[in-house]
Amino acid sequence: MSDISLEQTATLTIDGVTHNLPIVEGIEGDRAIDVRDLLRQTGYTVFDTGYKNSASCCSTITYLDGAKGVLRYRGYAIEDLASKCLFIEVAYLLLHNKLPNRVELENFRTLLESHALIHEDMVHFFDKFPPNASPMSILSVMVNSLHNFYPEMSADPLENIDMTASRLISKIRTIAAFSYKKSIGQPLVYPRNDLSYCGNFLNMMFHTPVRPYLVQPEVVAALNKLLILHADHEQNCSTSAVRLVGSAGGNLYSSISAGINALWGPLHGGANEAVILMLEAIHKDNNDYKKYIAKAKDKNDPFRLSGFGHRVYRTYDPRGTIIKDACDELLGILNVKDPLLAIALNLEEIVLNDPWFVSRNLYPNIDFYSGIIYRALGIPTNMFTVMFALGRLPGWIAQWKEMREDPETKIYRPRQIYIGSPARKFMPLAERS
Ligand code: CMC
C-alpha cells in the first residue's frame, strides 16, 4: 500500500556519516520518517518501547486525530455512523470501503442469518468449562476452534470475504450468548432469523423457556450504537495482535483469537469491566473519591483510574462523548436509577479539574460510560469485554484483510537491545556450587 513520499528528507548523522531518510505523509497530513532502510544503511535500529512513536503500516480503514478528538471509519465521521447506521452496515463499510446499497445490505444480512448456528459438536464444548469460567477465555477458545469445524474458511478467506466475515460475525454472537447462558446454568437459546443482529443477540442472552424476552427497540438501538462505536480503532493493541499473528501466515481464526486475548487486558478492552469494579469499590467506600485519586497519582501504587487516558487522544475520546449521551438517554427511557452513574459523573468532574490529570491530558475514554449502559441492558459485568469484542470483530477482519492484501506486509518481528549477561562459560551440573 503506498504512502505519499515527500521531496523533503530528514538527515541523521551517525559516526560522522550523514544519511538522508525519506519523509512520508498520509492523506490527512500525518508525517513519518521512513526508517525502513535504516538498519541496512546505518547498522542502527530504533528503540521505541510500546511503539509510542512507530507507525506499523499504512492503512485506509480508520482515521484518528488524537489532538482534535476526530474519528472516522473509511472517511465517514463516527458521529454520523453511530446515529444513522446499522452495525451490519458499518461492518460492510469497514470490509468493502463503501456503504452498502439496499441490495448489498440485504445480501449481507442473509449471509449473516444463514451462518448464525455453530456446529452442534461445538455446543458440547461449553459443558466442559467450569461454572465460573471467564467468557473472554471461552470466546477465544471457541473462535480458535472454529478452524477445525470450518476449515474451508481458513484456506483462502480472502476469496469470498463476505462469506468469511459473515460466518465469523454471526457465529461469534451465538458463541458469546451461549457462554453467558452456560455460565448461569440456563438452557441455550438458538438464534432466530426474524430478529435483527442486535435483537437476536439480546434474545439469545435473555429469553428463557418460562419468560419470553421482549425485544425493545430502544435497547436494540443502544446496543447497535455501542457496537458501531467499538467497530474499529486503527492500530490499537488487539488489532496489532491480529495483524501480528496474521503476518506470520496464521489463519484468520487464530489471528482473531489473539485479538480477543489482547483485548482482555484491563489497560485495553478489559477497562470497561475494571471501571464498574472501580465505581463499585468507590461506592462501598462511602464515595471516598480522594482515596482513589490519591492512589492513581501515587507512583508506587499500580492503581490507575480505569476509563481515563488514551495513547492517542489528548482530548475527549469522541466515542466517550457519544456514549455518555446515549447513557443518559437510555437510563431515562428505561427509568433506571444507577448510583454508579452519579459516582462516574462526580469522578469525571474531579479529574477534569485536577491539574495532575489535566497536565497529562487524561480524559474519559470509551470504556468509562459503556459499562453503565451495559448494566442498564442487563448485561453482566464479566461479559462487558465480550461485548467490546463483538463490536471490534469487523474492524479486526478488515485490518487482517488489508494486511494480507498489502504487498508491503512483512512478518511483524521487532528487534531488541540486549542487556543480559555477556557470554559465559558453561559449567556441567556436577561442577556448579
Ligand atoms: N490513571 C492515572 N494515571 C494515568 C492514567 C490513568 N488512567 N493513564 C495515564 N496515566 C498517567 C501515567 O501514570 C503517566 O504519568 P507520568 O507521566 O507521571 O508517568 C502518564 O499519565 C502517561 O501515561 P502512559 O502510561 O505513559 O500512557 P500510555 O499511552 O502508555 O497509556 C493507557 C494509555 C490507556 C494504557 C492509560 O491511559 C491507562 O492505563 N488508562 C487506564 C486504562 C483504560 O481506561 N484503558 C482503556 C483505553 S481506551 C479503550 C481501549 O483501548 O481499549
Side-chain angles (χ1 to χ4, degrees):
M1 194 166 307
S2 12
D3 46 70
I4 304 167
S5 288
L6 300 180
E7 298 270 303
Q8 198 185 346
T9 54
T11 52
L12 175 71
T13 305
I14 310 177
D15 303 331
V17 182
T18 298
H19 305 270
N20 288 320
L21 301 170
I23 293 189
V24 292
E25 185 174 56
I27 202 79
E28 295 287 347
D30 30 346
R31 289 183 170 198
I33 300 168
D34 183 345
V35 293
R36 283 176 289 180
D37 205 29
L38 185 74
L39 179 61
R40 199 192 57 76
Q41 263 191 50
T42 66
Y44 284 74
T45 59
V46 289
F47 183 41
D48 187 23
T49 49
Y51 310 127
K52 274 199 172 191
N53 306 280
S54 296
S56 62
C57 59
C58 289
S59 179
T60 61
I61 303 174
T62 289
Y63 174 68
L64 206 168
D65 181 333
K68 296 192 187 130
V70 170
L71 174 62
R72 296 185 207 126
Y73 299 160
R74 300 289 195 184
Y76 295 102
I78 190 66
E79 291 77 9
D80 283 334
L81 297 173
S83 60
K84 297 176 188 133
C85 280
L86 290 174
F87 172 62
I88 61 169
E89 239 177 306
V90 171
Y92 189 98
L93 167 70
L94 290 168
L95 292 166
H96 292 280
N97 195 13
K98 81 184 269 285
L99 282 165
N101 60 30
R102 275 179 202 284
V103 175
E104 287 162 339
L105 186 62
E106 276 322 301
N107 289 343
F108 193 51
R109 192 197 306 278
T110 306
L111 274 176
L112 286 164
E113 285 166 2
S114 55
H115 294 300
L117 289 171
I118 55 169
H119 196 292
E120 273 300 301
D121 287 350
M122 284 189 79
V123 175
H124 301 302
F125 291 4
F126 289 100
D127 296 332
K128 306 298 175 204
F129 289 104
N132 292 327
S134 157
M136 278 302 271
S137 107
I138 296 179
L139 193 71
S140 83
V141 167
M142 296 299 276
V143 167
N144 217 1
S145 307
L146 285 170
H147 168 71
N148 302 312
F149 289 87
Y150 305 93
E152 69 279 14
M153 247 166 77
S154 345
D156 187 3
L158 296 176
E159 197 184 354
N160 188 346
I161 189 67
D162 275 349
M163 174 77 83
T164 308
S166 56
R167 271 186 164 157
L168 251 174
I169 294 170
S170 202
K171 289 186 195 313
I172 204 171
R173 169 190 57 176
T174 307
I175 292 169
F178 281 11
S179 67
Y180 170 61
K181 283 297 197 190
K182 273 289 170 196
S183 74
I184 56 167
Q186 284 186 3
L188 303 182
V189 177
Y190 280 77
R192 269 178 40 192
N193 284 358
D194 58 317
L195 296 173
S196 66
Y197 184 87
C198 293
N200 208 340
F201 173 72
L202 291 164
N203 189 63
M204 283 193 272
M205 287 283 288
F206 301 121
H207 178 86
T208 72
V210 291
R211 196 163 181 211
Y213 178 70
L214 179 69
V215 180
Q216 282 177 274
E218 298 84 359
V219 170
V220 170
L223 179 58
N224 181 66
K225 186 172 284 191
L226 280 166
L227 295 185
I228 291 174
L229 292 174
H230 285 95
D232 196 52
H233 212 230
E234 53 121 297
Q235 308 312 316
N236 55 81
C237 178
S238 56
T239 300
S240 298
V242 168
R243 280 183 176 255
L244 186 140
V245 172
S247 77
N251 69 63
L252 179 60
Y253 304 110
S254 57
S255 307
I256 299 293
S257 187
I260 293 168
N261 289 323
L263 186 72
W264 195 356
L267 298 187
H268 190 14
N272 54 15
E273 184 176 340
V275 167
I276 294 297
L277 300 177
M278 175 185 78
L279 295 176
E280 282 173 346
I282 296 176
H283 191 41
K284 274 200 203 115
D285 251 348
N286 299 317
N287 296 351
D288 186 358
Y289 297 97
K290 276 192 185 156
K291 174 173 156 189
Y292 291 86
I293 295 283
K295 274 167 76 63
K297 291 178 183 176
D298 183 353
K299 281 258 171 259
N300 300 316
D301 190 328
F303 175 79
R304 286 191 163 198
L305 286 184
S306 295
F308 287 89
H310 196 272
R311 171 60 64 82
V312 186
Y313 293 119
R314 289 289 163 255
T315 179
Y316 268 95
D317 179 338
R319 305 166 301 171
T321 314
I322 301 171
I323 287 199
K324 191 178 174 186
D325 293 347
C327 190
D328 285 344
E329 193 184 324
L330 186 75
L331 266 58
I333 293 170
L334 300 181
N335 201 17
V336 171
K337 305 260 177 296
D338 189 339
L340 297 194
L341 178 60
I343 295 175
L345 289 168
N346 282 335
L347 189 62
E348 178 182 345
E349 195 174 326
I350 294 168
V351 168
L352 295 181
N353 289 300
D354 183 319
W356 191 94
F357 292 95
V358 173
S359 67
R360 288 167 178 76
N361 300 306
L362 298 173
Y363 291 87
N365 57 46
I366 189 168
D367 294 315
F368 193 58
Y369 286 102
S370 62
I372 296 178
I373 303 199
Y374 289 137
R375 273 159 69 92
L377 299 180
I379 291 167
T381 312
N382 69 352
M383 283 288 289
F384 289 1
T385 314
V386 170
M387 303 306 297
F388 195 150
L390 293 192
R392 185 53 56 87
L393 182 61
W396 284 334
I397 301 171
Q399 298 271 355
W400 190 92
K401 175 175 179 281
E402 185 177 74
M403 179 268 306
R404 288 292 265 255
E405 288 174 341
D406 185 350
E408 292 287 320
T409 295
K410 304 252 182 272
I411 186 169
Y412 277 45
R413 204 303 187 185
R415 306 294 284 242
Q416 64 167 15
I417 310 292
Y418 177 70
I419 54 166
S421 169
R424 292 192 255 190
K425 188 173 175 305
F426 179 77
M427 290 248 205
L429 183 57
E431 290 171 29
R432 288 176 224 156
S433 55

